[in-house]
Amino acid sequence: MKRYFFLTDNLDKLTAVEHDLAVNGISAPQIHVLSNDDSGMTVRKLNDVEAVLRKDVVHSMERGALIGAAAAAVVIAVGHYSGATATAAGWTPFIFLAVVVLGFFTWEGGLFGIQEPHHEFKRFQQALASGQHLLLIDINEKDHSILNNVTAHYPELEFSGTGHGAAQWFVTLQNKWRNFVEVMP
């Protein structure tokens, strides 16, 4: 899926856009709004970006895990080439140390990421600080005409670029979960 970004300064218009997209078949998990006006978002019941996804935690943890995997490989290599694995202790201390090193770097990456805005939202920080709101829409290529038709009715929406959207399987899973919860008594 591809993510489309739109900026506007009117939350009421975003409520109408979200409604029009839903009426035309774009599901709620595909539509999100990022805003510094949390109370305005709550009053209008807009589908906001989850707090954990506003920060760069996941992306930074992935980078930390890559560094940790490299460091763990170094620990295993040192154990192998030093001949220390031929002792009575064997591979066990090196494997445990490698797991600890991998976990530590992954954890540290997450701690760094929680301090930073999401890497895809950094370019919008100035606009958000000035009171604008960011509309994010994840769509497949087949739904592109729906997006064009709906956004054409809202000239105040400023197209602000594209990015990587949520995976189709994830959106499908979210839709199934919502349907399940709605059916439950």
Side-chain angles (χ1 to χ4, degrees):
M1 297 183 89
K2 194 170 188 180
R3 177 168 290 163
Y4 291 83
F5 299 103
F6 296 90
L7 282 169
T8 186
D9 59 358
N10 190 332
L11 280 177
D12 293 322
K13 289 292 182 182
L14 287 181
T15 304
V17 171
E18 192 172 293
H19 175 265
D20 289 353
L21 287 167
V23 166
N24 285 288
I26 306 297
S27 64
Q30 294 175 259
I31 308 165
H32 293 88
V33 177
L34 180 62
S35 174
N36 291 339
D37 183 6
D38 291 332
S39 63
M41 297 275 295
T42 304
V43 168
R44 291 169 183 84
K45 298 180 182 169
L46 289 167
N47 191 19
D48 64 339
V49 175
E50 298 292 331
V52 71
L53 298 178
R54 291 177 180 222
K55 299 294 183 177
D56 209 27
V57 176
V58 175
H59 186 251
S60 294
M61 284 180 75
E62 289 172 348
R63 288 188 306 189
L66 287 174
I67 294 168
V74 168
V75 168
I76 297 294
V78 166
H80 175 71
Y81 291 114
S82 71
T85 57
T87 65
W91 282 99
T92 305
F94 293 100
I95 291 173
F96 280 134
L97 182 58
V99 169
V100 168
V101 166
L102 173 64
F104 176 76
F105 278 100
T106 303
W107 176 63
E108 280 296 315
L111 289 178
F112 282 116
I114 205 164
Q115 301 172 37
E116 295 290 321
H118 192 281
H119 62 280
E120 282 197 345
F121 302 152
K122 282 184 181 179
R123 60 185 163 165
F124 302 111
Q125 289 304 305
Q126 185 176 3
L128 291 169
S130 69
Q132 289 194 304
H133 318 285
L134 182 65
L135 175 66
L136 300 83
I137 306 168
D138 296 342
I139 59 167
N140 290 321
E141 195 59 40
K142 66 179 180 68
D143 294 330
H144 199 266
S145 62
I146 294 171
L147 177 66
N148 287 339
N149 290 338
V150 170
T151 57
H153 294 293
Y154 298 96
E156 58 276 344
L157 286 179
E158 176 189 337
F159 175 72
S160 300
T162 61
H164 297 290
Q168 178 64 48
W169 65 267
F170 187 67
V171 171
T172 302
L173 186 66
Q174 285 181 312
N175 285 328
K176 287 183 180 186
W177 176 253
R178 279 184 173 219
N179 291 340
F180 174 73
V181 170
E182 289 174 2
V183 172
M184 292 300 294

